[in-house]
Amino acid sequence: MKIYSYAKINLVIEILSKLDNGYHDIKGIYQNINLRDEININESESDSVILKNGFIQEKDNIVYKAIKSFKDNYKFNNSFEVIINKKIPISAGLGGGSSNAASVIMALNNILKLNIPIEELALFSSRLGSDLPFFFKGGTCLVKGFGEKVYKLDDLRNYYVYLFDSKISINNKTEFMFNSIKPSDYTDGKLTENVKQKIKNNEPLNPQDYFNCFQKKALTKFPKLKKKYHQMLAKFGNCFLTGAGMTLISITDKNMDSDDFQKYSTINKGFDIDN
């Protein structure tokens, strides 16, 4: 089976508090874009994940972990070879690994005719990573809790999404960025509610509507990122970090060609099956 898994951006991501279980209570608006990885899945004598155009040790690959966990949880013995042709930059705040893992779980559910409901798969996947549940619904979604509560919203207005991959690498980036957050960085969720309402009313989003709780810290830590941020802000009128970084995003309804940025568009799904 051939499937495609799509990248996501965070139009808004707020941290409301830290939970007793160590996770952070988040609230935000997630959006898929048409940047995607191609994944081929074949039954095999043993489980394997082959990553093209990138390198992650197999035992550390979230897709490999997802397959093993899925087999253990739902008690089947079939094994699969998974070949991932990467287009989504790795560890860039675009959810590529989470998207891959969620899409493979969905594909195995279909291949094996397990008929596990989407909501159950999403809840199961939350054990593997906070971004995974979003991809089972995809498109434009309100995300709450530690990522396990996902609510489908109306599709975002047609926008062009301009992406700059800074290629800044940080070991254990997500953990590092979350650990950098202090109570003074917490917000009350109103920024998310404002964007949710605008999407419901099909109103255009303004530069001040986009918000990322990690952005100020990332721009302070990386002068290279801050310089590009100001360039994109001048060119597009808005710029914001996505995920825990370090990719910068600008959104506009204008079709602007440039060699400096990759151009994508918003879509209403998180994965696709090539029949």
Side-chain angles (χ1 to χ4, degrees):
M1 175 183 283
K2 181 187 290 185
I3 62 175
Y4 298 96
S5 73
Y6 291 90
K8 63 88 180 151
I9 60 173
N10 302 94
L11 303 177
V12 184
I13 180 167
E14 300 182 76
I15 294 180
L16 311 184
S17 65
K18 192 168 185 177
L19 303 171
D20 292 339
N21 60 9
Y23 287 98
H24 287 83
D25 185 14
I26 65 171
K27 190 172 184 179
I29 306 291
Y30 292 16
Q31 174 65 54
N32 282 116
I33 60 175
N34 65 350
L35 169 60
R36 68 186 190 181
D37 292 337
E38 179 186 296
I39 304 175
N40 287 280
I41 304 173
N42 303 295
E43 291 210 48
S44 179
E45 292 184 357
S46 61
D47 295 315
S48 63
V49 176
I50 300 168
L51 191 66
K52 295 187 176 180
N53 306 322
F55 179 77
I56 300 174
Q57 290 282 355
E58 184 176 66
K59 64 182 179 61
D60 296 325
N61 193 310
I62 192 171
V63 175
Y64 187 78
K65 294 177 181 179
I67 294 170
K68 292 298 188 183
S69 182
F70 195 50
K71 290 174 68 170
D72 289 344
N73 195 77
Y74 289 100
K75 311 301 181 188
F76 62 89
N77 296 318
N78 309 61
S79 294
F80 297 89
E81 176 192 64
V82 177
I83 302 171
I84 307 172
N85 186 5
K86 291 295 294 181
K87 300 294 183 184
I88 304 171
I90 294 172
S91 191
L94 296 163
S98 296
S99 177
N100 294 163
S103 300
V104 167
I105 289 171
M106 279 293 300
L108 297 186
N109 188 43
N110 291 339
I111 291 170
L112 299 172
K113 296 181 172 56
L114 299 176
N115 300 315
I116 303 166
I118 292 290
E119 294 292 345
E120 183 178 338
L121 290 176
L123 185 60
F124 158 78
S125 75
S126 67
R127 307 174 199 169
L128 299 165
S130 60
D131 275 347
L132 270 76
F134 160 71
F135 292 99
F136 289 92
K137 294 189 176 179
T140 311
C141 292
L142 170 68
V143 178
K144 299 168 64 176
F146 54 88
E148 86 285 10
K149 299 174 183 176
V150 182
Y151 308 93
K152 190 83 170 176
L153 301 178
D154 296 335
D155 292 341
L156 193 69
R157 290 162 61 99
N158 291 328
Y159 285 109
Y160 294 101
V161 177
Y162 293 87
L163 178 156
F164 174 74
D165 175 16
S166 68
K167 296 181 170 60
I168 293 172
S169 178
I170 303 175
N171 290 333
N172 301 314
K173 181 201 66 180
T174 300
E175 182 181 355
F176 175 85
M177 293 303 290
F178 269 100
N179 286 339
S180 73
I181 295 294
K182 309 299 180 187
S184 57
D185 300 311
Y186 297 163
T187 46
D188 60 7
K190 290 180 181 178
L191 298 168
T192 300
E193 288 298 321
N194 175 59
V195 172
K196 173 187 169 184
Q197 193 61 44
K198 283 194 169 186
I199 292 171
K200 181 179 179 180
N201 296 338
N202 196 30
E203 297 176 20
L205 299 181
N206 299 319
Q208 64 270 22
D209 292 327
Y210 306 112
F211 177 80
N212 185 311
C213 57
F214 303 108
Q215 180 169 302
K216 187 179 294 185
K217 296 183 181 298
L219 296 182
T220 300
K221 185 173 178 63
F222 300 106
K224 168 188 171 184
L225 194 71
K226 187 174 183 179
K227 180 179 178 180
K228 184 57 70 172
Y229 166 81
H230 285 294
Q231 289 175 354
M232 293 177 72
L233 192 62
K235 185 177 183 69
F236 299 105
N238 66 78
C239 183
F240 56 96
L241 194 73
T242 187
M246 295 297 157
T247 297
L248 293 172
I249 302 291
S250 291
I251 292 185
T252 178
D253 55 4
K254 297 176 182 176
N255 186 354
M256 302 168 67
D257 290 321
S258 173
D259 294 333
D260 296 330
F261 312 99
Q262 297 169 281
K263 181 175 66 177
Y264 300 98
S265 58
T266 58
I267 58 171
N268 64 357
K269 56 187 173 183
F271 79 101
D272 201 7
I273 297 175
D274 186 349
N275 292 316

